[in-house]
PDB file of all heavy atoms in Angstrom:
ATOM      1  N   ASP B 193     -23.611  27.059  61.089  1.00 98.00           N
ATOM      2  CA  ASP B 193     -23.568  25.776  61.772  1.00 98.00           C
ATOM      3  C   ASP B 193     -23.784  25.795  63.291  1.00 98.00           C
ATOM      4  O   ASP B 193     -23.361  24.966  64.049  1.00 98.00           O
ATOM      5  CB  ASP B 193     -22.182  25.027  61.527  1.00 98.00           C
ATOM      6  CG  ASP B 193     -21.934  24.963  59.984  1.00 98.00           C
ATOM      7  OD1 ASP B 193     -22.645  24.157  59.341  1.00 98.00           O
ATOM      8  OD2 ASP B 193     -21.035  25.642  59.503  1.00 98.00           O
ATOM      9  N   PHE B 197     -25.925  21.226  64.749  1.00 96.00           N
ATOM     10  CA  PHE B 197     -24.518  20.896  64.821  1.00 96.00           C
ATOM     11  C   PHE B 197     -23.853  21.441  66.097  1.00 96.00           C
ATOM     12  O   PHE B 197     -22.872  20.892  66.565  1.00 96.00           O
ATOM     13  CB  PHE B 197     -23.815  21.368  63.569  1.00 96.00           C
ATOM     14  CG  PHE B 197     -22.386  20.826  63.402  1.00 96.00           C
ATOM     15  CD1 PHE B 197     -22.165  19.503  63.271  1.00 96.00           C
ATOM     16  CD2 PHE B 197     -21.291  21.682  63.308  1.00 96.00           C
ATOM     17  CE1 PHE B 197     -20.859  18.958  63.050  1.00 96.00           C
ATOM     18  CE2 PHE B 197     -20.029  21.218  63.085  1.00 96.00           C
ATOM     19  CZ  PHE B 197     -19.808  19.866  62.981  1.00 96.00           C
ATOM     20  N   ASP B 218     -29.100  28.689  61.688  1.00 98.00           N
ATOM     21  CA  ASP B 218     -28.001  28.431  60.789  1.00 98.00           C
ATOM     22  C   ASP B 218     -28.038  29.423  59.619  1.00 98.00           C
ATOM     23  O   ASP B 218     -29.107  29.539  58.954  1.00 98.00           O
ATOM     24  CB  ASP B 218     -28.192  27.018  60.179  1.00 98.00           C
ATOM     25  CG  ASP B 218     -27.627  25.952  61.088  1.00 98.00           C
ATOM     26  OD1 ASP B 218     -26.734  26.229  61.904  1.00 98.00           O
ATOM     27  OD2 ASP B 218     -28.111  24.817  60.985  1.00 98.00           O
ATOM     28  N   THR B 219     -26.990  30.085  59.377  1.00 98.00           N
ATOM     29  CA  THR B 219     -26.989  31.054  58.246  1.00 98.00           C
ATOM     30  C   THR B 219     -26.111  30.557  57.093  1.00 98.00           C
ATOM     31  O   THR B 219     -25.305  29.678  57.283  1.00 98.00           O
ATOM     32  CB  THR B 219     -26.386  32.392  58.738  1.00 98.00           C
ATOM     33  OG1 THR B 219     -24.985  32.158  58.984  1.00 98.00           O
ATOM     34  CG2 THR B 219     -27.101  32.913  59.959  1.00 98.00           C
ATOM     35  N   PRO B 220     -26.319  31.202  55.952  1.00 98.00           N
ATOM     36  CA  PRO B 220     -25.382  30.964  54.867  1.00 98.00           C
ATOM     37  C   PRO B 220     -23.996  31.567  55.169  1.00 98.00           C
ATOM     38  O   PRO B 220     -23.834  32.255  56.133  1.00 98.00           O
ATOM     39  CB  PRO B 220     -26.035  31.583  53.671  1.00 98.00           C
ATOM     40  CG  PRO B 220     -27.013  32.601  54.210  1.00 98.00           C
ATOM     41  CD  PRO B 220     -27.409  32.100  55.575  1.00 98.00           C
ATOM     42  N   ILE B 221     -23.035  31.395  54.286  1.00 98.00           N
ATOM     43  CA  ILE B 221     -21.719  31.973  54.390  1.00 98.00           C
ATOM     44  C   ILE B 221     -21.837  33.386  53.875  1.00 98.00           C
ATOM     45  O   ILE B 221     -21.482  33.698  52.724  1.00 98.00           O
ATOM     46  CB  ILE B 221     -20.649  31.164  53.655  1.00 98.00           C
ATOM     47  CG1 ILE B 221     -20.698  29.653  54.148  1.00 98.00           C
ATOM     48  CG2 ILE B 221     -19.264  31.731  53.830  1.00 98.00           C
ATOM     49  CD1 ILE B 221     -19.691  28.765  53.470  1.00 98.00           C
ATOM     50  N   SER B 222     -22.307  34.282  54.699  1.00 98.00           N
ATOM     51  CA  SER B 222     -22.691  35.631  54.303  1.00 98.00           C
ATOM     52  C   SER B 222     -22.386  36.549  55.457  1.00 98.00           C
ATOM     53  O   SER B 222     -23.324  36.922  56.149  1.00 98.00           O
ATOM     54  CB  SER B 222     -24.191  35.671  53.946  1.00 98.00           C
ATOM     55  OG  SER B 222     -24.465  34.830  52.831  1.00 98.00           O
ATOM     56  N   GLU B 223     -21.108  36.852  55.681  1.00 98.00           N
ATOM     57  CA  GLU B 223     -20.794  37.611  56.865  1.00 98.00           C
ATOM     58  C   GLU B 223     -21.356  39.033  56.889  1.00 98.00           C
ATOM     59  O   GLU B 223     -21.631  39.567  57.937  1.00 98.00           O
ATOM     60  CB  GLU B 223     -19.251  37.651  57.095  1.00 98.00           C
ATOM     61  CG  GLU B 223     -18.668  36.340  57.672  1.00 98.00           C
ATOM     62  CD  GLU B 223     -18.569  35.210  56.670  1.00 98.00           C
ATOM     63  OE1 GLU B 223     -18.627  35.479  55.469  1.00 98.00           O
ATOM     64  OE2 GLU B 223     -18.261  34.098  57.101  1.00 98.00           O
ATOM     65  N   PHE B 249     -13.000  36.835  60.368  1.00 98.00           N
ATOM     66  CA  PHE B 249     -14.034  37.125  59.400  1.00 98.00           C
ATOM     67  C   PHE B 249     -14.690  38.436  59.642  1.00 98.00           C
ATOM     68  O   PHE B 249     -15.562  38.859  58.830  1.00 98.00           O
ATOM     69  CB  PHE B 249     -15.088  36.004  59.344  1.00 98.00           C
ATOM     70  CG  PHE B 249     -14.523  34.647  58.993  1.00 98.00           C
ATOM     71  CD1 PHE B 249     -15.288  33.497  59.109  1.00 98.00           C
ATOM     72  CD2 PHE B 249     -13.214  34.492  58.493  1.00 98.00           C
ATOM     73  CE1 PHE B 249     -14.786  32.276  58.849  1.00 98.00           C
ATOM     74  CE2 PHE B 249     -12.691  33.233  58.188  1.00 98.00           C
ATOM     75  CZ  PHE B 249     -13.503  32.124  58.348  1.00 98.00           C
ATOM     76  N   GLY B 286      -3.870  25.226  66.325  1.00 88.00           N
ATOM     77  CA  GLY B 286      -4.072  24.138  65.437  1.00 88.00           C
ATOM     78  C   GLY B 286      -3.709  24.395  63.969  1.00 88.00           C
ATOM     79  O   GLY B 286      -4.216  23.648  63.106  1.00 88.00           O
ATOM     80  N   GLU B 291      -5.537  33.458  57.919  1.00 95.00           N
ATOM     81  CA  GLU B 291      -6.853  34.066  57.799  1.00 95.00           C
ATOM     82  C   GLU B 291      -7.806  33.477  58.865  1.00 95.00           C
ATOM     83  O   GLU B 291      -8.992  33.778  58.839  1.00 95.00           O
ATOM     84  CB  GLU B 291      -7.452  33.812  56.416  1.00 95.00           C
ATOM     85  CG  GLU B 291      -6.684  34.501  55.291  1.00 95.00           C
ATOM     86  CD  GLU B 291      -6.708  33.682  54.025  1.00 95.00           C
ATOM     87  OE1 GLU B 291      -6.215  32.511  53.998  1.00 95.00           O
ATOM     88  OE2 GLU B 291      -7.344  34.138  53.050  1.00 95.00           O
ATOM     89  N   HIS B 292      -7.274  32.622  59.761  1.00 95.00           N
ATOM     90  CA  HIS B 292      -8.139  32.003  60.732  1.00 95.00           C
ATOM     91  C   HIS B 292      -7.500  32.005  62.128  1.00 95.00           C
ATOM     92  O   HIS B 292      -7.829  31.122  62.978  1.00 95.00           O
ATOM     93  CB  HIS B 292      -8.454  30.566  60.398  1.00 95.00           C
ATOM     94  CG  HIS B 292      -9.212  30.350  59.158  1.00 95.00           C
ATOM     95  ND1 HIS B 292      -8.750  30.523  57.883  1.00 95.00           N
ATOM     96  CD2 HIS B 292     -10.511  29.926  58.945  1.00 95.00           C
ATOM     97  CE1 HIS B 292      -9.667  30.184  56.969  1.00 95.00           C
ATOM     98  NE2 HIS B 292     -10.770  29.896  57.627  1.00 95.00           N
ATOM     99  N   ILE B 457       4.228  37.696  66.510  1.00 90.00           N
ATOM    100  CA  ILE B 457       5.034  38.026  65.353  1.00 90.00           C
ATOM    101  C   ILE B 457       4.301  39.036  64.493  1.00 90.00           C
ATOM    102  O   ILE B 457       3.062  39.106  64.464  1.00 90.00           O
ATOM    103  CB  ILE B 457       5.382  36.765  64.584  1.00 90.00           C
ATOM    104  CG1 ILE B 457       6.544  37.042  63.613  1.00 90.00           C
ATOM    105  CG2 ILE B 457       4.180  36.233  63.861  1.00 90.00           C
ATOM    106  CD1 ILE B 457       7.062  35.764  62.976  1.00 90.00           C
ATOM    107  N   THR B 459       4.447  39.259  61.126  1.00 92.00           N
ATOM    108  CA  THR B 459       4.082  38.756  59.816  1.00 92.00           C
ATOM    109  C   THR B 459       2.656  38.094  59.903  1.00 92.00           C
ATOM    110  O   THR B 459       2.182  37.827  60.972  1.00 92.00           O
ATOM    111  CB  THR B 459       5.020  37.649  59.272  1.00 92.00           C
ATOM    112  OG1 THR B 459       4.857  36.510  60.121  1.00 92.00           O
ATOM    113  CG2 THR B 459       6.459  38.130  59.287  1.00 92.00           C
ATOM    114  N   PRO B 462       1.761  32.043  59.869  1.00 89.00           N
ATOM    115  CA  PRO B 462       1.992  30.954  58.954  1.00 89.00           C
ATOM    116  C   PRO B 462       0.957  29.803  59.170  1.00 89.00           C
ATOM    117  O   PRO B 462       0.533  29.579  60.284  1.00 89.00           O
ATOM    118  CB  PRO B 462       3.424  30.453  59.223  1.00 89.00           C
ATOM    119  CG  PRO B 462       3.783  31.009  60.512  1.00 89.00           C
ATOM    120  CD  PRO B 462       2.905  32.214  60.803  1.00 89.00           C
ATOM    121  N   GLN B 463       0.593  29.119  58.118  1.00 87.00           N
ATOM    122  CA  GLN B 463      -0.350  28.053  58.146  1.00 87.00           C
ATOM    123  C   GLN B 463       0.263  26.851  58.923  1.00 87.00           C
ATOM    124  O   GLN B 463      -0.412  26.142  59.593  1.00 87.00           O
ATOM    125  CB  GLN B 463      -0.630  27.583  56.754  1.00 87.00           C
ATOM    126  CG  GLN B 463      -1.813  26.688  56.533  1.00 87.00           C
ATOM    127  CD  GLN B 463      -3.128  27.419  56.488  1.00 87.00           C
ATOM    128  OE1 GLN B 463      -3.200  28.624  56.212  1.00 87.00           O
ATOM    129  NE2 GLN B 463      -4.250  26.710  56.722  1.00 87.00           N
ATOM    130  N   SER B 464       1.545  26.657  58.742  1.00 86.00           N
ATOM    131  CA  SER B 464       2.198  25.511  59.306  1.00 86.00           C
ATOM    132  C   SER B 464       2.177  25.507  60.810  1.00 86.00           C
ATOM    133  O   SER B 464       2.607  26.423  61.451  1.00 86.00           O
ATOM    134  CB  SER B 464       3.661  25.539  58.798  1.00 86.00           C
ATOM    135  OG  SER B 464       4.466  24.806  59.643  1.00 86.00           O
ATOM    136  N   LEU B 465       1.700  24.362  61.316  1.00 86.00           N
ATOM    137  CA  LEU B 465       1.709  24.227  62.804  1.00 86.00           C
ATOM    138  C   LEU B 465       3.079  24.346  63.372  1.00 86.00           C
ATOM    139  O   LEU B 465       3.277  24.870  64.477  1.00 86.00           O
ATOM    140  CB  LEU B 465       1.192  22.756  63.124  1.00 86.00           C
ATOM    141  CG  LEU B 465      -0.206  22.629  63.707  1.00 86.00           C
ATOM    142  CD1 LEU B 465      -0.493  21.168  63.899  1.00 86.00           C
ATOM    143  CD2 LEU B 465      -0.287  23.408  65.024  1.00 86.00           C
ATOM    144  N   HIS B 466       4.018  23.824  62.580  1.00 86.00           N
ATOM    145  CA  HIS B 466       5.411  23.890  63.043  1.00 86.00           C
ATOM    146  C   HIS B 466       5.915  25.303  63.262  1.00 86.00           C
ATOM    147  O   HIS B 466       6.553  25.579  64.254  1.00 86.00           O
ATOM    148  CB  HIS B 466       6.237  23.145  61.978  1.00 86.00           C
ATOM    149  CG  HIS B 466       7.725  23.321  62.168  1.00 86.00           C
ATOM    150  ND1 HIS B 466       8.407  22.849  63.220  1.00 86.00           N
ATOM    151  CD2 HIS B 466       8.611  23.970  61.360  1.00 86.00           C
ATOM    152  CE1 HIS B 466       9.692  23.226  63.100  1.00 86.00           C
ATOM    153  NE2 HIS B 466       9.808  23.933  61.973  1.00 86.00           N
ATOM    154  N   LEU B 467       5.539  26.158  62.336  1.00 90.00           N
ATOM    155  CA  LEU B 467       5.955  27.588  62.467  1.00 90.00           C
ATOM    156  C   LEU B 467       5.073  28.318  63.412  1.00 90.00           C
ATOM    157  O   LEU B 467       5.522  29.262  64.033  1.00 90.00           O
ATOM    158  CB  LEU B 467       5.999  28.253  61.085  1.00 90.00           C
ATOM    159  CG  LEU B 467       7.111  27.777  60.141  1.00 90.00           C
ATOM    160  CD1 LEU B 467       6.908  28.426  58.774  1.00 90.00           C
ATOM    161  CD2 LEU B 467       8.502  28.064  60.701  1.00 90.00           C
ATOM    162  N   PHE B 470       6.080  29.291  66.909  1.00 91.00           N
ATOM    163  CA  PHE B 470       7.046  30.350  67.158  1.00 91.00           C
ATOM    164  C   PHE B 470       6.404  31.775  67.282  1.00 91.00           C
ATOM    165  O   PHE B 470       7.140  32.683  67.639  1.00 91.00           O
ATOM    166  CB  PHE B 470       8.096  30.365  66.078  1.00 91.00           C
ATOM    167  CG  PHE B 470       8.818  29.085  65.935  1.00 91.00           C
ATOM    168  CD1 PHE B 470       8.971  28.453  64.665  1.00 91.00           C
ATOM    169  CD2 PHE B 470       9.465  28.444  67.023  1.00 91.00           C
ATOM    170  CE1 PHE B 470       9.663  27.303  64.515  1.00 91.00           C
ATOM    171  CE2 PHE B 470      10.148  27.280  66.882  1.00 91.00           C
ATOM    172  CZ  PHE B 470      10.273  26.679  65.633  1.00 91.00           C
TER     173      PHE B 470
ATOM    174  N   SER C 305       0.041  19.040  58.912  1.00 81.00           N
ATOM    175  CA  SER C 305      -0.262  20.319  59.659  1.00 81.00           C
ATOM    176  C   SER C 305      -1.624  20.774  59.292  1.00 81.00           C
ATOM    177  O   SER C 305      -2.042  20.826  58.126  1.00 81.00           O
ATOM    178  CB  SER C 305       0.760  21.372  59.204  1.00 81.00           C
ATOM    179  OG  SER C 305       0.527  22.577  59.788  1.00 81.00           O
ATOM    180  N   LEU C 366       6.133  27.301  54.200  1.00 83.00           N
ATOM    181  CA  LEU C 366       5.469  28.478  54.858  1.00 83.00           C
ATOM    182  C   LEU C 366       3.978  28.362  54.857  1.00 83.00           C
ATOM    183  O   LEU C 366       3.313  28.663  55.843  1.00 83.00           O
ATOM    184  CB  LEU C 366       5.894  29.761  54.111  1.00 83.00           C
ATOM    185  CG  LEU C 366       5.647  31.016  54.927  1.00 83.00           C
ATOM    186  CD1 LEU C 366       6.540  31.038  56.152  1.00 83.00           C
ATOM    187  CD2 LEU C 366       5.894  32.241  54.092  1.00 83.00           C
ATOM    188  N   GLY C 367       3.425  27.920  53.717  1.00 74.00           N
ATOM    189  CA  GLY C 367       2.011  27.793  53.647  1.00 74.00           C
ATOM    190  C   GLY C 367       1.516  26.629  54.485  1.00 74.00           C
ATOM    191  O   GLY C 367       0.930  26.738  55.500  1.00 74.00           O
ATOM    192  N   ALA C 368       1.880  25.419  54.013  1.00 73.00           N
ATOM    193  CA  ALA C 368       1.507  24.183  54.654  1.00 73.00           C
ATOM    194  C   ALA C 368       0.038  23.887  54.416  1.00 73.00           C
ATOM    195  O   ALA C 368      -0.838  24.408  55.062  1.00 73.00           O
ATOM    196  CB  ALA C 368       1.802  24.196  56.146  1.00 73.00           C
ATOM    197  N   HIS C 372      -3.091  27.367  51.122  1.00 89.00           N
ATOM    198  CA  HIS C 372      -2.011  28.244  50.619  1.00 89.00           C
ATOM    199  C   HIS C 372      -0.934  27.526  49.870  1.00 89.00           C
ATOM    200  O   HIS C 372       0.231  27.631  50.134  1.00 89.00           O
ATOM    201  CB  HIS C 372      -1.515  29.089  51.751  1.00 89.00           C
ATOM    202  CG  HIS C 372      -2.569  29.977  52.275  1.00 89.00           C
ATOM    203  ND1 HIS C 372      -3.354  30.738  51.483  1.00 89.00           N
ATOM    204  CD2 HIS C 372      -3.100  30.074  53.514  1.00 89.00           C
ATOM    205  CE1 HIS C 372      -4.299  31.339  52.171  1.00 89.00           C
ATOM    206  NE2 HIS C 372      -4.150  30.979  53.452  1.00 89.00           N
ATOM    207  N   GLY C 385      -8.479  31.785  52.035  1.00 96.00           N
ATOM    208  CA  GLY C 385      -8.920  30.967  53.173  1.00 96.00           C
ATOM    209  C   GLY C 385     -10.324  31.464  53.620  1.00 96.00           C
ATOM    210  O   GLY C 385     -11.104  30.680  54.149  1.00 96.00           O
ATOM    211  N   THR C 386     -10.582  32.731  53.478  1.00 97.00           N
ATOM    212  CA  THR C 386     -11.920  33.208  53.652  1.00 97.00           C
ATOM    213  C   THR C 386     -12.670  32.863  52.377  1.00 97.00           C
ATOM    214  O   THR C 386     -12.416  33.466  51.328  1.00 97.00           O
ATOM    215  CB  THR C 386     -11.965  34.721  53.907  1.00 97.00           C
ATOM    216  OG1 THR C 386     -11.104  35.353  52.983  1.00 97.00           O
ATOM    217  CG2 THR C 386     -11.522  35.067  55.288  1.00 97.00           C
ATOM    218  N   GLY C 417     -21.722  26.509  49.443  1.00 98.00           N
ATOM    219  CA  GLY C 417     -21.709  27.398  50.589  1.00 98.00           C
ATOM    220  C   GLY C 417     -21.138  28.735  50.189  1.00 98.00           C
ATOM    221  O   GLY C 417     -21.709  29.817  50.417  1.00 98.00           O
ATOM    222  N   ASN C 420     -22.826  31.869  48.294  1.00 98.00           N
ATOM    223  CA  ASN C 420     -23.641  32.874  48.878  1.00 98.00           C
ATOM    224  C   ASN C 420     -22.862  34.057  49.449  1.00 98.00           C
ATOM    225  O   ASN C 420     -23.473  34.931  50.141  1.00 98.00           O
ATOM    226  CB  ASN C 420     -24.592  32.260  49.954  1.00 98.00           C
ATOM    227  CG  ASN C 420     -25.670  31.528  49.247  1.00 98.00           C
ATOM    228  OD1 ASN C 420     -26.173  31.888  48.205  1.00 98.00           O
ATOM    229  ND2 ASN C 420     -26.152  30.419  49.914  1.00 98.00           N
ATOM    230  N   ARG C 421     -21.531  34.107  49.252  1.00 98.00           N
ATOM    231  CA  ARG C 421     -20.785  35.294  49.652  1.00 98.00           C
ATOM    232  C   ARG C 421     -21.076  36.434  48.672  1.00 98.00           C
ATOM    233  O   ARG C 421     -21.174  36.245  47.473  1.00 98.00           O
ATOM    234  CB  ARG C 421     -19.244  35.006  49.578  1.00 98.00           C
ATOM    235  CG  ARG C 421     -18.603  34.290  50.693  1.00 98.00           C
ATOM    236  CD  ARG C 421     -18.391  35.074  51.949  1.00 98.00           C
ATOM    237  NE  ARG C 421     -17.906  36.404  51.842  1.00 98.00           N
ATOM    238  CZ  ARG C 421     -16.617  36.757  51.654  1.00 98.00           C
ATOM    239  NH1 ARG C 421     -15.661  35.826  51.575  1.00 98.00           N
ATOM    240  NH2 ARG C 421     -16.239  38.022  51.534  1.00 98.00           N
ATOM    241  N   ALA C 448     -22.669  22.719  53.270  1.00 98.00           N
ATOM    242  CA  ALA C 448     -21.598  23.629  53.720  1.00 98.00           C
ATOM    243  C   ALA C 448     -21.389  23.261  55.188  1.00 98.00           C
ATOM    244  O   ALA C 448     -22.231  23.526  55.999  1.00 98.00           O
ATOM    245  CB  ALA C 448     -22.003  25.096  53.598  1.00 98.00           C
ATOM    246  N   ILE C 449     -20.347  22.531  55.433  1.00 97.00           N
ATOM    247  CA  ILE C 449     -20.150  21.886  56.725  1.00 97.00           C
ATOM    248  C   ILE C 449     -21.430  21.086  57.083  1.00 97.00           C
ATOM    249  O   ILE C 449     -21.726  20.153  56.389  1.00 97.00           O
ATOM    250  CB  ILE C 449     -19.704  22.876  57.864  1.00 97.00           C
ATOM    251  CG1 ILE C 449     -18.506  23.701  57.378  1.00 97.00           C
ATOM    252  CG2 ILE C 449     -19.319  22.086  59.152  1.00 97.00           C
ATOM    253  CD1 ILE C 449     -17.904  24.602  58.425  1.00 97.00           C
ATOM    254  N   SER C 450     -22.179  21.540  58.080  1.00 97.00           N
ATOM    255  CA  SER C 450     -23.392  20.824  58.481  1.00 97.00           C
ATOM    256  C   SER C 450     -24.654  21.382  57.869  1.00 97.00           C
ATOM    257  O   SER C 450     -25.765  20.917  58.182  1.00 97.00           O
ATOM    258  CB  SER C 450     -23.504  20.918  60.033  1.00 97.00           C
ATOM    259  OG  SER C 450     -24.002  22.170  60.371  1.00 97.00           O
ATOM    260  N   THR C 451     -24.506  22.413  57.089  1.00 97.00           N
ATOM    261  CA  THR C 451     -25.686  23.145  56.606  1.00 97.00           C
ATOM    262  C   THR C 451     -26.105  22.707  55.211  1.00 97.00           C
ATOM    263  O   THR C 451     -25.358  22.930  54.262  1.00 97.00           O
ATOM    264  CB  THR C 451     -25.426  24.638  56.649  1.00 97.00           C
ATOM    265  OG1 THR C 451     -24.913  25.019  57.951  1.00 97.00           O
ATOM    266  CG2 THR C 451     -26.667  25.480  56.339  1.00 97.00           C
ATOM    267  N   ARG C 455     -31.467  24.854  53.353  1.00 98.00           N
ATOM    268  CA  ARG C 455     -31.720  25.649  54.575  1.00 98.00           C
ATOM    269  C   ARG C 455     -31.365  27.086  54.372  1.00 98.00           C
ATOM    270  O   ARG C 455     -31.873  28.023  55.066  1.00 98.00           O
ATOM    271  CB  ARG C 455     -30.994  25.034  55.767  1.00 98.00           C
ATOM    272  CG  ARG C 455     -31.413  25.691  57.092  1.00 98.00           C
ATOM    273  CD  ARG C 455     -30.783  25.019  58.322  1.00 98.00           C
ATOM    274  NE  ARG C 455     -31.140  23.625  58.384  1.00 98.00           N
ATOM    275  CZ  ARG C 455     -30.378  22.644  58.961  1.00 98.00           C
ATOM    276  NH1 ARG C 455     -29.215  22.980  59.502  1.00 98.00           N
ATOM    277  NH2 ARG C 455     -30.769  21.430  58.988  1.00 98.00           N
ATOM    278  N   VAL C 456     -30.439  27.383  53.473  1.00 98.00           N
ATOM    279  CA  VAL C 456     -29.925  28.719  53.346  1.00 98.00           C
ATOM    280  C   VAL C 456     -30.006  29.291  51.933  1.00 98.00           C
ATOM    281  O   VAL C 456     -29.479  30.383  51.663  1.00 98.00           O
ATOM    282  CB  VAL C 456     -28.424  28.798  53.822  1.00 98.00           C
ATOM    283  CG1 VAL C 456     -28.375  28.518  55.329  1.00 98.00           C
ATOM    284  CG2 VAL C 456     -27.543  27.836  53.070  1.00 98.00           C
ATOM    285  N   TYR C 522     -24.760  15.172  61.505  1.00 93.00           N
ATOM    286  CA  TYR C 522     -25.845  15.849  60.826  1.00 93.00           C
ATOM    287  C   TYR C 522     -26.339  15.124  59.544  1.00 93.00           C
ATOM    288  O   TYR C 522     -27.269  15.595  58.924  1.00 93.00           O
ATOM    289  CB  TYR C 522     -25.457  17.277  60.445  1.00 93.00           C
ATOM    290  CG  TYR C 522     -24.099  17.340  59.738  1.00 93.00           C
ATOM    291  CD1 TYR C 522     -24.059  17.197  58.372  1.00 93.00           C
ATOM    292  CD2 TYR C 522     -22.937  17.489  60.482  1.00 93.00           C
ATOM    293  CE1 TYR C 522     -22.812  17.265  57.762  1.00 93.00           C
ATOM    294  CE2 TYR C 522     -21.713  17.561  59.845  1.00 93.00           C
ATOM    295  CZ  TYR C 522     -21.614  17.435  58.471  1.00 93.00           C
ATOM    296  OH  TYR C 522     -20.433  17.483  57.834  1.00 93.00           O
ATOM    297  N   PRO C 579      11.039  24.018  57.935  1.00 92.00           N
ATOM    298  CA  PRO C 579      11.730  25.290  57.932  1.00 92.00           C
ATOM    299  C   PRO C 579      12.019  25.737  59.422  1.00 92.00           C
ATOM    300  O   PRO C 579      11.272  25.379  60.355  1.00 92.00           O
ATOM    301  CB  PRO C 579      10.751  26.257  57.354  1.00 92.00           C
ATOM    302  CG  PRO C 579       9.406  25.604  57.565  1.00 92.00           C
ATOM    303  CD  PRO C 579       9.618  24.146  57.588  1.00 92.00           C
ATOM    304  N   ARG C 581      12.871  28.695  62.453  1.00 90.00           N
ATOM    305  CA  ARG C 581      12.246  29.908  62.920  1.00 90.00           C
ATOM    306  C   ARG C 581      12.634  31.126  62.053  1.00 90.00           C
ATOM    307  O   ARG C 581      11.831  32.048  61.884  1.00 90.00           O
ATOM    308  CB  ARG C 581      12.724  30.087  64.355  1.00 90.00           C
ATOM    309  CG  ARG C 581      11.989  31.153  65.086  1.00 90.00           C
ATOM    310  CD  ARG C 581      12.425  31.222  66.561  1.00 90.00           C
ATOM    311  NE  ARG C 581      11.513  32.111  67.289  1.00 90.00           N
ATOM    312  CZ  ARG C 581      11.048  31.854  68.442  1.00 90.00           C
ATOM    313  NH1 ARG C 581      11.386  30.808  69.157  1.00 90.00           N
ATOM    314  NH2 ARG C 581      10.215  32.727  68.982  1.00 90.00           N
ATOM    315  N   LEU C 584      10.490  32.632  59.294  1.00 90.00           N
ATOM    316  CA  LEU C 584       9.256  33.354  59.557  1.00 90.00           C
ATOM    317  C   LEU C 584       9.208  34.777  58.955  1.00 90.00           C
ATOM    318  O   LEU C 584       8.183  35.173  58.456  1.00 90.00           O
ATOM    319  CB  LEU C 584       9.050  33.526  61.084  1.00 90.00           C
ATOM    320  CG  LEU C 584       8.276  32.371  61.719  1.00 90.00           C
ATOM    321  CD1 LEU C 584       8.233  32.618  63.233  1.00 90.00           C
ATOM    322  CD2 LEU C 584       6.898  32.263  61.145  1.00 90.00           C
ATOM    323  N   VAL C 588       8.484  38.698  53.357  1.00 94.00           N
ATOM    324  CA  VAL C 588       7.240  39.448  53.590  1.00 94.00           C
ATOM    325  C   VAL C 588       7.110  40.534  52.499  1.00 94.00           C
ATOM    326  O   VAL C 588       6.041  40.718  51.909  1.00 94.00           O
ATOM    327  CB  VAL C 588       7.273  40.110  55.000  1.00 94.00           C
ATOM    328  CG1 VAL C 588       5.879  40.776  55.248  1.00 94.00           C
ATOM    329  CG2 VAL C 588       7.579  39.097  56.087  1.00 94.00           C
TER     330      VAL C 588
END
Side-chain angles (χ1 to χ4, degrees):
Chain B
D193 307 290
F197 191 60
D218 277 334
T219 67
I221 305 180
S222 299
E223 282 79 13
F249 300 168
E291 297 148 295
H292 296 73
I457 196 171
T459 66
Q463 191 84 20
S464 156
L465 253 179
H466 166 67
L467 290 174
F470 300 129
Chain C
S305 175
L366 197 66
H372 300 307
T386 43
N420 285 328
R421 281 283 318 278
I449 308 186
S450 76
T451 308
R455 190 174 300 153
V456 294
Y522 49 87
R581 191 176 190 138
L584 271 178
V588 185

